Amino acid sequence: MPELPEVEVTRRSLLGHLPGSRILAVRMGKPLRWPLGMAPEGLVGRQVQDVRRRGKYLLLDLDQGVLVVHLGMSGRLRMDDRADMPPWGPHDHFELDTTQGVLRLNDPRRFGAVVYAESAQAPVVQKLLGHLGMEPLADGCTPESLGNALGQRRAAIKQVLLSGDVVVGVGNIYASEALFRARIHPEQHADRLTRPQVRRLWEAIRDVLQHAIEAGGSTLRDFASPEGRNGHFQLEAMVYGREGEPCRVCGTPIRMVRQGQRSTYFCALCQRRR
DNA sequence: AAAAGCCCCTGGATGC
DNA sequence: TGCATCCAGGGGCTTT
């Protein structure tokens, strides 16, 4: 579910509740993708100081140590008063009871994870975050820096975007959508993009993500922020999930191809191969 | 170093 | 209605 916008919306929401809270109890369900890396009881008494994001990872900074949280494909975080929290269910796998409310991770597929590390510099964290590419919305992401990084990659642009080691946060939906906006064929080799193409892609990625964040993360999928549901799609996808339907720009039927076990959607006319 | 496959797990949609 | 099959928003690990 969560691409960068959903994770960022989650982060902003948690920022309003979590910092300053003290952990009163920890509850865990079935194993997630990776073990927590410490005894859960050891977290009791620690204080959450900040909530940061790197790519699709959330970092809960504690007064001692850090919790690295990833939502995987199906993870959702919810924060609420104990009284308003639904009963613990079979897909609830992590919960922090704090002085400022309850934070709970629900994740049916369990591709998500919560990992503890002594610090953000710890080897575990480096292993997870060390290889990540630039933040698309940060100042350091410019048409030049993006072009330089893409110039090192010969694989299809769609797969390079998805890999996360050039730019982070662009998942399967937004990759297709950004390439459509930039009018770039998803199978074009990354190192063959022209300067104008790179510039259009840079802009498209930032626009698409920025809009999605502003819309509360519910642009292209149903999404519930930690405070609760905020509803339905607010924008329609231009190409994602629309195989066979007419392109919203030119009417050509949208095509679907498989790239590295993932679906890619595009308009063969608007995104002509060069 | 980079790229291609595989795999983790569960639920929902679709087809017979 | 029941059962099999396919697909899903991620990403680390292993192998080429």
Side-chain angles (χ1 to χ4, degrees):
Chain A
M1 166 189 78
E3 301 190 25
L4 184 146
E6 291 78 19
V7 178
E8 177 60 17
V9 168
T10 299
R11 185 189 76 84
R12 292 182 186 183
S13 163
L14 294 182
L15 218 38
H17 305 278
L18 220 35
S21 68
R22 258 186 209 287
I23 298 172
L24 300 171
V26 182
R27 181 170 183 180
M28 299 182 68
K30 292 191 209 163
L32 291 163
R33 179 164 191 173
W34 299 297
L36 178 60
M38 77 172 296
E41 315 81 69
L43 290 172
V44 172
R46 302 203 195 187
Q47 186 181 50
V48 183
Q49 295 187 324
D50 200 3
V51 185
R52 294 180 293 142
R53 179 187 60 74
R54 177 75 174 99
K56 297 171 190 166
Y57 291 88
L58 280 173
L59 302 166
L60 308 189
D61 289 306
L62 310 177
D63 49 0
Q64 187 199 331
V66 59
L67 288 172
V68 181
V69 180
H70 197 283
L71 301 178
M73 286 278 239
S74 56
R76 290 182 175 209
L77 280 173
R78 169 172 179 156
M79 179 130 193
D80 224 327
D81 294 333
R82 174 56 79 192
D84 298 321
M85 206 47 125
W88 182 265
H91 300 308
D92 293 324
H93 301 304
F94 186 84
E95 181 178 276
L96 289 183
D97 197 358
T98 82
T99 51
Q100 293 170 197
V102 179
L103 177 69
R104 182 183 287 179
L105 174 67
N106 177 277
D107 184 3
R109 289 177 73 179
R110 292 190 282 129
F111 287 173
V114 181
V115 175
Y116 173 81
E118 295 290 339
S119 82
Q121 284 70 46
V124 216
V125 183
Q126 282 311 300
K127 195 171 75 169
L128 294 176
L129 310 184
H131 67 97
L132 294 180
M134 61 183 113
E135 287 289 336
L137 300 177
D139 291 341
C141 180
T142 63
E144 293 70 36
S145 62
L146 181 62
N148 288 339
L150 292 177
Q152 312 297 114
R153 303 296 225 88
R154 201 169 58 180
I157 182 64
K158 159 73 174 353
Q159 292 184 260
V160 172
L161 289 181
L162 220 47
S163 77
D165 33 47
V166 169
V167 199
V168 294
V170 183
N172 207 36
I173 296 181
Y174 292 115
S176 282
E177 294 298 315
L179 287 169
F180 175 81
R181 284 191 180 221
R183 307 196 308 278
I184 295 168
H185 194 292
E187 289 170 330
Q188 189 174 333
H189 296 311
D191 61 358
R192 300 283 296 274
L193 295 198
T194 64
R195 286 170 87 89
Q197 282 184 316
V198 170
R199 187 174 184 95
R200 294 205 302 269
L201 181 58
W202 171 79
E203 193 163 24
I205 290 171
R206 291 168 59 111
D207 275 4
V208 158
L209 297 180
Q210 195 58 54
H211 280 142
I213 292 171
E214 284 162 14
S218 55
T219 29
L220 300 176
R221 282 281 171 173
D222 228 351
F223 168 71
S225 74
E227 279 126 344
R229 52 235 95 246
N230 57 339
H232 309 295
F233 325 152
Q234 300 181 20
L235 283 179
E236 286 177 295
M238 297 297 279
V239 290
Y240 187 84
R242 300 190 64 240
E243 183 181 16
E245 293 173 47
C247 170
R248 299 191 198 282
V249 170
C250 75
T252 302
I254 298 301
R255 288 188 46 201
M256 192 268 271
V257 292
R258 286 250 156 211
Q259 291 181 284
Q261 350 284 356
R262 316 293 297 275
S263 302
T264 303
Y265 299 86
F266 69 105
C267 171
L269 187 56
C270 292
Q271 297 165 267
R272 269 190 297 273
R273 217 188 261 282
R274 12 177 320 107

